[in-house]
């Protein structure tokens, strides 16, 4: 039989190995370092895009995607495969985009997302470089006869929840000591429908998005976008942290295009 000290030592070593192995599994689950390898094996880039935003990412009636963000993902595919067609577009709403990237449902987000410190640190994500500098604004019916956001006191404002837009809206009205009623919705098309149906008299979002969405309104000629820009929104592609090979491809593809 073995001495008790030897058995105890062996158990401690085994326990240490088990703890280290478990910790390693947790780290692997949290951080993904094999995006490029999986992408090559799959023979396609999985690109998370907006569900439909003219100029950035929108499908036609045959499912062909076009736009600024779409073209960027095609460029990443060209950098890897020398073939811009090797990309699959995955439409994602704002409230699910980061979760789906974390869950590895897509390889990259190219989806008008604002780069912020809290998003990087809270979600273990990385924004390689700014693709588009934007800012938040307001769209209202012409009939309101308002030419400044400072005159929006008492407005019912449609906004998509879970976005930097919602936070900026609260800051702007509080700082300028004006009141508003927040009409928040989970999905972008719900915000658009609420505004078009008259549930709210103001629509706030990034200025580029307001101009794009206005094109789809039935009475787009009756809507104006105020000149006020109340924030700075650096929009950037997004990848997972601790995956440097993939991040470098995405970053330098963007810089090459610029």
């Amino acid at each position: 039989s073995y001495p008790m000290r030897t058995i105890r030592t062996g158990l401690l070593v085994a326990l240490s190995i088990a703890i280290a192995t478990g910790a390693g599994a947790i780290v692997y689950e949290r951080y993904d370092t094999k995006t490029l390898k999986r992408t090559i094996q799959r023979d396609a880039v999985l690109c998370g895009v907006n569900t439909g935003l003219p100029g950035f990412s929108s499908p036609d009636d045959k499912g062909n995607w076009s736009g600024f963000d779409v073209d960027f993902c095609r460029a990443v595919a060209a950098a890897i495969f020398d073939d811009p067609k090797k990309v699959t577009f995955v439409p994602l709403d704002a409230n699910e985009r980061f979760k789906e990237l974390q869950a590895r449902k897509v390889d990259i987000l190219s989806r008008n997302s604002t780069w912020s410190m809290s998003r990087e640190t809270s979600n273990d994500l990385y924004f390689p470089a700014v693709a588009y500098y934007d800012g938040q604004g307001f769209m209202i019916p012409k009939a309101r006869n308002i030419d400044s956001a400072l005159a929006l006191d008492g407005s019912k404002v449609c906004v998509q929840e879970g976005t930097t837009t919602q936070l900026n809206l609260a800051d702007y009205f509080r700082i300028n000591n004006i009141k508003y009623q927040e009409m928040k919705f989970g999905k972008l098309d719900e915000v658009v429908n609420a505004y078009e149906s008259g549930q709210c008299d103001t629509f706030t979002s990034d200025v580029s998005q307001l101009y794009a969405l206005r094109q789809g309104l039935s009475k787009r000629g009756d809507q104006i976008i105020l000149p006020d820009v109340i924030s700075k929104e650096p929009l950037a592609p997004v990848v997972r942290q601790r995956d440097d090979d993939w991040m470098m491809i995405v970053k330098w593809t963007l810089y090459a295009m610029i």
Side-chain angles (χ1 to χ4, degrees), residues 5 8 26 31 40 42 44 74 87 89 98 100 103 138-140 150 155 165 170 180 199 205 233 241 248:
R5 180 181 298 176
R8 188 180 296 115
I26 292 172
Y31 298 115
I40 292 174
R42 187 194 308 120
R74 290 196 176 110
V87 55
F89 297 105
F98 300 126
E100 294 296 81
F138 299 94
M139 178 164 62
I140 61 172
L150 293 173
S155 295
T165 305
Y180 75 105
Q199 294 182 47
S205 187
E233 305 294 327
Q241 285 186 10
M248 291 289 280

Side-chain angles (χ1 to χ4, degrees), residues 211-232:
Y211 277 102
L213 294 173
R214 185 172 66 170
Q215 298 304 309
L217 298 180
S218 58
K219 296 181 180 180
R220 57 180 176 270
D222 294 336
Q223 316 300 323
I224 63 169
I225 296 169
L226 298 176
D228 310 72
V229 179
I230 68 169
S231 72
K232 294 182 179 180

Side-chain angles (χ1 to χ4, degrees), residues 84-104:
K85 295 180 181 179
K86 290 189 175 184
V87 55
T88 300
F89 297 105
V90 181
L92 298 173
D93 215 278
N95 58 4
E96 62 181 351
R97 53 185 163 173
F98 300 126
K99 293 178 182 177
E100 294 296 81
L101 179 59
Q102 287 175 315
R104 307 174 194 175

Side-chain angles (χ1 to χ4, degrees), residues 28 31-46 80-81 101-108 240 243 246:
Y28 176 78
Y31 298 115
D32 177 19
T33 61
K34 301 182 184 299
T35 304
L36 179 58
K37 182 178 180 179
R38 287 200 312 276
T39 299
I40 292 174
Q41 290 175 341
R42 187 194 308 120
D43 203 35
V45 177
L46 297 182
I80 298 170
F81 301 110
L101 179 59
Q102 287 175 315
R104 307 174 194 175
K105 298 295 180 64
V106 294
D107 302 319
I108 178 177
R240 291 177 288 274
D243 197 351
W246 184 250

